Amino acid sequence: MKAEQEKTVKKHSREWFDALVIAAIFATILRIFVVESYRIPTGSMEQTLLAGDFLFVNKYVYGAKVPFTDFRLPAADTVDRGDIIVFKFPKDRSLNYIKRCVAISGDLLEIRDRQLFVNGKSVALPEHAQFIGQKMPPGAADFQIFPRFSTFNKDNYGPLRIPAKGDVVELNARTYQLYGALIADEGHDISISGDQVYIDGVPKRQYTVEDNYYFAMGDNRDNSLDSRYWGFLPERDILGEAMLVYWSWDPDRSLFLDPAGKLSSIRWQRTGMTVH
């Protein structure tokens, strides 16, 4: 009898263990290929998204990337202007960023006196986007802005074409600032001597772009480290599209109960809010 009880206990334990393993496998598959959680760490997307918002990110929509490879699953849709996207920060791919895509491959982008233009047409400021800093006049160069040593600034930028796969770009001392990092990131050794650009040790006057690129900006336009500062966003770094806020709390407020007995730091009104 005792032996039978021990056998039953072992059988049930094995069944629970198998169920947990299967659940873990399914959870991992969902996280890698379908939906992943993301926390907003900074105020760069205020007031659309707030620091302390927790989001679900749709990784399936743009074609989830298979881990440890450059292969992507078939996409359900393409990245479009206005999408709020999560991506690997091109300057440090251990970090994930979230911004709004404002221009896609092949677009001509320009900012004039804070007004965004894409392909010559003005683009309305997103509903909850904002400016919080002082406006910069045209010609007031900001040497933190991409490309370096340009006359662009955060409020007056471009015109600038967003590179598309197959574009043939001219190479010289001026365009080296614009395309040098892109070419290096596509796996080539690039250098310059005078006005001559060398790719993989060979002098070149032209280069054919190998990937599609995008331009991303934060909705908090005066407090966002975005494409205006670090350049073009490669398609291969895009992870997914923001879907909804499933939880939100204010990191600047206490977790303890307020006089009414509520957790004052929790933003209940944002829970379940769709992102757009």
Side-chain angles (χ1 to χ4, degrees), residues 80-246:
D80 201 1
R81 305 175 196 91
D83 290 355
I84 296 178
I85 55 176
V86 174
F87 55 90
K88 292 185 179 296
F89 180 39
K91 302 302 180 184
D92 181 356
R93 290 184 169 93
S94 67
L95 302 175
N96 289 345
Y97 272 26
I98 184 167
K99 307 288 180 189
R100 188 181 297 274
C101 174
V102 297
I104 63 175
S105 307
D107 280 348
L108 184 67
L109 175 140
E110 185 176 8
I111 302 171
R112 299 199 299 264
D113 196 27
R114 287 183 167 173
Q115 177 60 56
L116 174 65
F117 293 84
V118 177
N119 300 324
K121 297 180 180 180
S122 63
V123 178
L125 192 69
E127 180 181 3
H128 301 293
Q130 63 181 5
F131 295 98
I132 60 173
Q134 185 175 359
K135 185 186 295 185
M136 296 187 70
D142 181 347
F143 296 113
Q144 298 182 75
I145 291 288
F146 169 87
R148 303 295 183 262
F149 312 115
S150 69
T151 59
F152 300 169
N153 60 52
K154 65 181 178 65
D155 297 321
N156 296 275
Y157 192 96
L160 183 67
R161 176 183 163 85
I162 313 307
K165 185 176 181 179
D167 279 359
V168 177
V169 298
E170 299 296 322
L171 297 178
N172 50 51
R174 182 182 61 85
T175 60
Y176 180 82
Q177 297 296 330
L178 187 58
Y179 300 116
L182 179 154
I183 294 170
D185 198 47
E186 290 191 342
H188 300 282
D189 179 37
I190 182 170
S191 60
I192 188 169
S193 178
D195 199 46
Q196 179 62 65
V197 176
Y198 294 84
I199 298 179
D200 299 327
V202 179
K204 295 285 186 179
R205 290 295 181 186
Q206 293 182 327
Y207 176 76
T208 302
V209 177
E210 299 174 2
D211 199 1
N212 286 317
Y213 291 83
Y214 299 83
F215 202 92
M217 292 171 59
D219 282 1
N220 193 356
R221 295 288 168 85
D222 291 325
N223 186 30
S224 174
L225 180 63
D226 54 39
S227 287
R228 292 172 295 175
Y229 294 88
W230 44 259
F232 306 119
L233 169 63
E235 187 172 60
R236 61 185 175 276
D237 286 336
I238 297 175
L239 299 176
E241 182 180 13
M243 295 170 57
L244 61 84
V245 177
Y246 68 86

Side-chain angles (χ1 to χ4, degrees), residues 22-76:
I22 292 171
I25 291 172
F26 273 106
T28 301
I29 291 172
L30 285 173
R31 181 178 179 274
I32 293 174
F33 297 111
V34 184
V35 175
E36 186 171 1
S37 174
Y38 180 83
R39 180 179 67 85
I40 301 297
T42 70
S44 71
M45 285 294 292
E46 291 179 350
Q47 295 290 326
T48 305
L49 295 170
L50 306 179
D53 283 350
F54 289 76
L55 312 176
F56 283 133
V57 176
N58 185 340
K59 301 181 74 173
Y60 170 77
V61 64
Y62 301 140
K65 191 173 181 180
V66 177
F68 312 113
T69 74
D70 291 326
F71 179 75
R72 282 183 179 271
L73 297 180

Side-chain angles (χ1 to χ4, degrees), residues 23 163 249:
W249 69 285

